[in-house]
Each structure stands twice: as C-alpha cells, then as structure tokens.
Amino acid sequence: MVSFLKEAEELFEEYKDYAPSHREICEIIENKEFLTKEDLAKLLNVSSKEDIMLMAKKAQKLTRENFGKVILLYAPLYIANYCQNGCVYCGFSSRKNYKREKLSFEEIENELRKMKEEGIDSVIILTGEDRINSSFEYIEKACSIATNYMSEVSIEVYPLFEEEYRKLSNIGVVGITVYQETYQREDYDKLHPFGPKKDFEFRLNAPERALKAGFHEACIGPLLGLSEPKKDVLCAILHAEYLLDKFPKAEISISFPRFRSAGTEFIPPYTVSDKEFIKFLIIARLYLPRVGIVVSTRERPSLRDALIDVCITKMSAGSKTTVGGYAEEKDEDAEAQFEVEDRRSVSEVVDVIIKKGLRPEFTNWVKGVKSV
Amino acid sequence: MFEIGGKKLKSRLFVGTGKLPDYSLIEKMYYEAGIEVFAVAVRRIGPNTKHTKNVLEYIPKGATIMVNTSGAQDHKEAVKIAMIGRELTDSDWVKVEIEKDTKYLFPDSFETLKACEILVKEGFKVFPYIYPDLNLAKELEQIGVEAVMPLGSPIGTNKGIGCEVLLKPIINEIKIPVIIDAGIGRPSHAAQAMEMGADAVLINTAIATSADPLKMAIAFAKAVEAGRLAFEVGLLKEYEYAQASSPLEDFISG
Ligand code: SF4
C-alpha cells in the first residue's frame, strides 16, 4: 500500500529543483495523452503565470470532455463534534475547552428536512473523531435516516473497519471523504500527538477499505500548509492513481483544502498562495483527467467561481459547519471547526453555475443500486 | 424511416443527455434537429429540488427514452439500474453500459453479455455498448438484443471512427442494426460512420460540450442524413492508381 508514498518521495527528491522550460511544458501538455510521473513532478515546479494559464486551458478541455457541463453539488451535515484526538491545528481538538454537542436522531431529521427545503439533495455526514460519543451505530443510524431524505449520502467520519463500511454501503451510503492531513509520516506524527488518529496507516488505508466494501466514491487529499505542499500534492495525486488502479470502477476525487485558522495558536509551517493552489488543482486534472476535483467553502467565492470554469467537478453549497446549524441560527465563526469563506446560499451558487453555462446537479448515483 | 426496437424513426441520430449544460435543450433538439431518441443516465435521474429539475420533465412526449446503465460496476448492478430506469421512465429501451475502468471507460464484455441475457429475458429492448468485436456482436445478436452499439473510438475522445477495420465486419455480418457510439467528435465523423453503413449514431460529448449544443445537434443531424443518403446510393470506389487508359492496355487485351 505505501509503495506509492516511497515513489512520490523519490520523485520529489529527484525533481524538486527542476524548472521545466516553456518548451518542455508545451511538449508535455500538447503531445501527450497521459502524463508520466516524471512530467507530473516537473510540472509542480512551474512558476510562470503564462505557463500556468496554458496548463489551465488544457485542464479545462479535459474537464469538459470527461465530465461535460455539469457541476455536482452537496452540503455537509455536522452531527457531532466530540473528538478524542489532539491534532495541534484543530479547534475541535479534545484539548480545547469547547462546547461539545451531538444531535439526537430527531434533530438530525430536522436538519435534513431544513436542508431539503433549501434544495439540497446530496449530503455528507460529519462527526469529530470519537468512537465513544459518536459510536458506529450512531453514525449508521444517522446515515440510514439521511438516505430517506437525500438522493446521495456520503460520510466524513473517523476511519472505520471494512465490515463497518460494508454495513454503510448496504444501507446506501455511496461515498467517503478522508483527508490524510499530511502524507509525511514524521510531520504527521508531530501534528497528532495523541488519540486514535495517530495511526497513520489505518487512516491512509481507509478509502481502500471503503471501496473494497462497496463504496462508489472516495475523496482524498492533504490539508495544505501542514507539511511541504508540493510533496503532499504529489503524494495525494499518486494516492488517487493507486486507488484508481486498484478499484478501476470507483470514482476518485481529490481536494486540496488550505489550512485556515481554527481558534488555535497554531501557525502552519507553510502557506500556499492562490497561484500555487490553482496550479496544484490544474496539475491533478492534467495527470488524472477523470478524477473528480472538489473545492471547499474554505476558499472565497471569487476563487471558487473562477475554478468552476477550469477543473472543479463537485462543490459544496449553502454549507453550515456548526452542529445543528441548518435548523437553528448559529454563530458560524464562533463555533465552526474552520473559517468558512463562501457563505453563499444554495440558490446563489446555483445561479453562478448556470450563468457560466453549466448545469448544477445533486444526483450522481441512483439510489438503491447497492441493495441487489 | 427505419425500424428499431419496435419503433419507426425518422432520425438516425441519437443523443446522450448526461453532459448537457441545460436540460431545456432537449426539447429544442427534438423540435429543431428532429432528434427522437435521448439516452438518459439513470444514475442522474434525481427528484425535483428547488434548484434542479428531473431530466424526465424535459423530454417531449413523442420522444423515446433510452435508459443508460452507466455507473454500473457489474451485470447485477446493470440489471438493477435498468429495472429502476424502466420504473422511472416507463421506457423499456436500455443501453447496457458497464465499464471496466474510469480511465478509458472501456466496456466490460463479460459483464455486458451477462446483463444482456438477463435483460432480454426480462422483456427489455436491449442496446449494448460494446467493443467493436464481431464475435461478441454475433453472440449478442443470438441472445436477442435490438442492436449493438460498438464504439468508434474511446468514449469522450472525439477521435472519430478510429476502429473502422473492426467496425466494417460487424456492419457487414450482423443483421440487427449497428449504432456507432462513442468517440465521434465531428459531424464529418458521423457522416463517415453512416457512409460505412452504420444504421445510426449516438452522440454525447461532441454536442453537449460544444459552444452551442443546439446548433451542433442540427449540424450532426444533417451530417447523419447526408452520410446515410450516400450509403444508400453507394459510394464510388477509391482507386489507388490512376485510371487513365494506357497504350499498354491495347497490347495486353489485344
Ligand atoms: S482535526 Fe478532526 S480529529 Fe483532529 S482534533 Fe480536529 S476534529 Fe479531532
């Protein structure tokens, strides 16, 4: 499993100071149907605006050919924020004196109803990472309620065992999102001083277990800023490729959330500029033309809108990132896990998509296929 | 007029709807480009929401819906999706699409064959998306599918009829209709497919992702018609060497 990490490491070392010429960049993007791993490592170092724009053009063409003029929409539903971990960068960390909440099943239904009223039809259910306060059974029940309301249900919870994923798959959950935070083991270790999340490999293997258990989709990625960004991006892209090779029929998505402050004093060792961030997404598209690309509400509206034209295939809309935030007005800034930049309603996001000549869509998978 | 799946159709151009920027284009294509068959991915048939409407609401009454099993990972899922599709659309036309991978989107022949066997027995009008493989096409014909839909070149590549040498034998040997699906990027490619003797073509990416999908649909409709007419008349052969008579001929024939 971790062979791709070693490969990424070696590639990164070999090409980290390699600046491809304009000509070489043109060669790579114009003449090749599929980029090699070396091309990928080289393109990560591109810095001229003109070259990035050139790459963006190709990325746009690939996105339209493979995904058509469609943008999938979804919204997160935070059902609990208990957490056993001590991730040094997170406002939900168990070290924080923080008001813990967990929705009852009735409250979950209320939230879903409210979301539905706003026109949301695809949901991702989130909890903090706490097997005691948010037990598997709790998550399972929440998912099963959600499948009654939504066309599509995914999860972003602590890594589960394969059997547990199978149970969720059987009730109709189709997707998993699990961010590795960083692919660099040493940094990972320091950033996660205690708690079950310390187990790097159990987390790394989570998407694989879920896909094996029958999930259709997996979304992966690093949290940019925690470790050397180019290296993390390279690892994530090769991780996506590894999953595609192993589960050729699955839909793999990638996302590169950038670190945002979250009520901690933690200062990330790296900052990623807009230019670098955009370049990373474009490169992911160039290397993996059929991989989904997700951009979160951590990014500001103007940037998200610009990326819709180029490489995004899926985005959240109308997100509330507090527990119980849909049914009840809450102060998002005070309570959320991270800062949300794009607070537009679903209608507003839908309008932007339509204005760009694209079709917003909530449904990617037909319900009930799994219950064969 | 040609007959397929128990229907008489005027247009030999079928159109996929999954990549369209706006479903309201479907109605315009029906009236302005004369398209009668629309392929609909069952996986994308969502309920109406405040912001998005069910694709089925946009398909004119007279049109035929071909439900598509794309997203199916094996024959069991394809059968299940077809059943759900029939329920939702009231159409028994099903395009069996089971892909082997998401990189090239090549059809999985084994699973496709199994799914077709079941679906024919279940009373569907079955249209399998396949590799241009004559043996497979023959087997499917035996099973009782309505038509075969071999790819012109890999899905979404717009490369045109890249598999001509493999498609020709299928067109020659198979008695059921042959619909060229996937890879057609330009109206001229569609015309070429029709000139070769294909019975119809299905276009998705090339229309949906063009700058003006309606205009492009009209262009394709015209090209398909032109190609078909030419096929019916019979194309002139291309000669590799000049046909000029030479004095030598007199000696040889004399
Ligand atoms: S990042 Fe997740 S696991 Fe870590 S402290 Fe925050 S909520 Fe807990």
Side-chain angles (χ1 to χ4, degrees):
Chain A
M1 166 70 197
V2 280
S3 59
F4 75 85
L5 281 184
K6 204 167 154 260
E7 206 176 355
E9 177 101 7
E10 285 165 8
L11 271 171
F12 179 77
E13 284 308 317
E14 191 174 343
Y15 290 102
K16 69 176 180 216
D17 300 318
Y18 186 101
S21 66
H22 174 69
R23 217 175 139 171
E24 191 174 12
I25 295 164
C26 292
E27 261 312 287
I28 292 173
I29 56 177
E30 273 171 26
N31 299 336
K32 296 195 179 173
E33 189 159 356
F34 292 107
L35 271 51
T36 64
K37 291 193 171 75
E38 288 72 25
D39 297 334
L40 168 66
K42 287 176 188 172
L43 291 186
L44 282 171
N45 299 325
V46 171
S47 62
S48 104
K49 195 176 133 203
E50 286 69 34
D51 288 334
I52 295 176
M53 284 310 293
L54 210 68
M55 285 155 57
K57 237 178 151 180
K58 172 81 184 281
Q60 179 184 44
K61 181 170 168 277
L62 289 171
T63 307
R64 290 296 157 253
E65 274 174 15
N66 288 297
F67 293 88
K69 294 189 175 177
V70 185
I71 301 283
L72 289 164
L73 294 173
Y74 69 95
L77 171 55
Y78 285 79
I79 59 170
N81 63 6
Y82 285 91
C83 186
Q84 294 176 310
N85 293 298
C87 314
V88 300
Y89 49 84
C90 175
F92 273 12
S93 144
S94 67
R95 284 195 291 210
K96 293 267 153 196
N97 193 1
Y98 187 85
K99 190 173 139 225
R100 302 291 161 174
E101 285 171 282
K102 172 179 163 183
L103 297 181
S104 68
F105 295 124
E106 209 187 315
E107 287 169 320
I108 292 175
E109 287 217 58
N110 281 340
E111 290 282 286
L112 287 161
R113 224 172 279 134
K114 195 78 211 293
M115 293 172 91
K116 198 78 189 187
E117 270 167 32
E118 280 168 34
I120 295 166
D121 196 34
S122 170
V123 67
I124 176 160
I125 291 188
L126 295 97
T127 62
E129 307 211 3
D130 187 329
R131 257 195 192 271
I132 299 159
N133 288 298
S134 316
S135 67
F136 172 72
E137 289 69 30
Y138 172 67
I139 293 169
E140 188 183 24
K141 182 79 195 289
C143 288
S144 112
I145 296 170
T147 54
N148 293 332
Y149 286 89
M150 300 284 165
S151 286
E152 212 163 307
V153 179
S154 297
I155 49 160
E156 185 175 342
V157 303
Y158 48 86
L160 302 172
F161 294 102
E162 191 180 322
E163 234 355 87
E164 295 171 325
Y165 286 128
R166 189 158 295 116
K167 282 188 187 158
L168 295 182
S169 168
N170 288 340
I171 60 174
V173 177
V174 292
I176 174 183
T177 293
V178 52
Y179 293 115
Q180 189 61 26
E181 320 296 14
T182 172
Y183 285 89
Q184 314 316 317
R185 236 179 243 265
E186 274 176 31
D187 293 338
Y188 185 94
D189 216 47
K190 282 187 212 135
L191 293 160
H192 305 98
F194 62 86
K197 194 167 171 181
K198 230 186 157 32
D199 192 338
F200 178 87
E201 256 171 71
F202 189 66
R203 189 173 191 85
L204 190 65
N205 288 322
E208 193 168 342
R209 289 194 298 276
L211 294 171
K212 227 166 146 188
F215 276 50
H216 275 298
E217 300 181 341
C219 179
I220 57 160
L223 179 55
L224 292 185
L226 297 181
S227 188
E228 159 60 62
K230 278 185 202 161
K231 208 167 169 184
D232 266 344
V233 165
L234 186 59
C235 288
I237 292 176
L238 293 191
H239 186 190
E241 187 180 37
Y242 167 88
L243 292 171
L244 278 171
D245 283 345
K246 191 137 189 194
F247 304 94
K249 294 170 181 174
E251 281 184 19
I252 308 298
S253 302
I254 220 165
S255 181
F256 300 131
R258 286 192 280 182
F259 182 83
R260 285 268 183 276
S261 80
T264 65
E265 287 74 57
F266 177 77
I267 296 166
Y270 299 85
T271 45
V272 176
S273 66
D274 286 349
K275 186 172 149 194
E276 284 287 292
F277 174 67
I278 292 167
K279 181 179 78 181
F280 291 154
L281 294 176
I282 290 170
I283 290 174
R285 164 63 64 245
L286 294 178
Y287 187 69
L288 299 169
R290 276 189 225 281
V291 101
I293 294 183
V294 186
V295 175
S296 82
T297 44
R298 288 167 193 234
E299 301 300 340
R300 56 192 193 281
S302 54
L303 178 57
R304 283 183 14 124
D305 293 355
L307 286 167
I308 291 177
D309 288 326
V310 180
C311 55
I312 295 185
T313 58
K314 197 171 181 176
M315 63 197 286
S316 49
S319 300
K320 297 275 190 280
T321 54
T322 48
V323 176
Y326 291 94
E328 225 180 285
E329 274 298 316
K330 291 203 173 184
D331 181 356
E332 288 266 326
D333 284 323
E335 297 189 11
Q337 187 186 17
F338 55 82
E339 272 175 26
V340 172
E341 293 277 343
D342 188 349
R343 295 188 191 279
R344 289 175 297 181
S345 67
V346 190
S347 309
E348 287 171 292
V349 175
V350 162
D351 280 349
V352 171
I353 293 171
I354 292 173
K355 276 209 190 86
K356 286 184 180 283
L358 302 167
R359 194 179 84 229
E361 182 79 73
F362 280 102
T363 313
N364 193 26
W365 292 106
V366 54
K367 247 193 200 168
V369 183
K370 278 287 154 204
S371 49
V372 198
Chain B
M1 278 284 183
F2 85 118
E3 242 191 275
I4 188 165
K7 299 199 179 210
K8 284 199 170 67
L9 299 176
K10 282 200 266 314
S11 172
R12 292 171 182 268
L13 171 59
F14 299 179
V15 172
T17 56
K19 291 180 174 176
L20 285 173
D22 177 357
Y23 286 141
S24 64
L25 284 160
I26 294 173
E27 202 173 20
K28 294 186 187 130
M29 286 185 192
Y30 178 76
Y31 290 110
E32 292 177 41
I35 292 156
E36 294 159 290
V37 179
F38 294 95
V40 173
V42 178
R43 65 184 270 190
R44 284 281 167 83
I45 304 180
N48 290 338
T49 71
K50 205 161 115 192
H51 309 289
T52 55
K53 268 212 246 160
N54 186 336
V55 54
L56 301 174
E57 298 205 357
Y58 294 92
I59 300 182
K61 279 249 164 340
T64 297
I65 297 174
M66 177 186 260
V67 303
N68 183 342
T69 67
S70 67
Q73 306 207 349
D74 54 35
H75 71 279
K76 280 194 202 150
E77 282 190 13
V79 170
K80 180 93 187 193
I81 293 175
M83 302 275 188
I84 296 171
R86 182 159 66 178
E87 193 96 332
L88 290 172
T89 64
D90 215 17
S91 168
D92 57 0
W93 280 36
V94 59
K95 172 178 166 186
V96 177
E97 181 174 335
I98 306 176
E99 270 118 13
K100 190 99 191 155
D101 64 272
T102 52
K103 187 165 182 184
Y104 297 98
L105 297 176
F106 282 152
D108 185 324
S109 305
F110 302 107
E111 295 293 329
T112 302
L113 193 63
K114 277 194 227 163
C116 289
E117 266 175 332
I118 299 170
L119 290 169
V120 167
K121 279 193 197 126
E122 293 284 340
F124 282 88
K125 305 273 190 313
V126 183
F127 298 79
Y129 165 60
I130 57 167
Y131 276 113
D133 172 344
L134 178 60
N135 293 325
L136 177 63
K138 275 189 173 163
E139 268 191 64
L140 288 163
E141 184 178 31
Q142 290 279 326
I143 287 173
V145 301
E146 296 299 321
V148 287
M149 304 180 77
L151 56 87
S153 48
I155 274 191
T157 58
N158 296 334
K159 291 199 172 167
I161 310 298
C163 306
E164 183 167 356
V165 291
L166 301 174
L167 289 167
K168 261 283 172 55
I170 297 179
I171 292 171
N172 293 342
E173 303 299 322
I174 296 287
K175 292 185 188 64
I176 52 175
V178 177
I179 304 166
I180 310 286
D181 184 2
I184 293 179
R186 304 173 180 191
S188 56
H189 297 151
Q192 187 194 348
M194 299 310 294
E195 286 172 359
M196 278 166 59
D199 295 274
V201 296
L202 189 141
I203 315 287
N204 191 359
T205 314
I207 290 178
T209 67
S210 72
D212 186 339
L214 177 61
K215 232 181 195 170
M216 193 53 100
I218 294 171
F220 268 100
K222 290 186 171 173
V224 165
E225 220 169 291
R228 180 65 195 182
L229 276 177
F231 171 75
E232 283 168 7
V233 173
L235 291 177
L236 296 177
K237 261 207 197 125
E238 279 176 34
Y239 291 98
E240 197 130 350
Y241 307 102
Q243 284 285 297
S245 60
S246 93
L248 190 65
E249 246 183 285
D250 296 336
F251 293 101
I252 299 169
S253 50

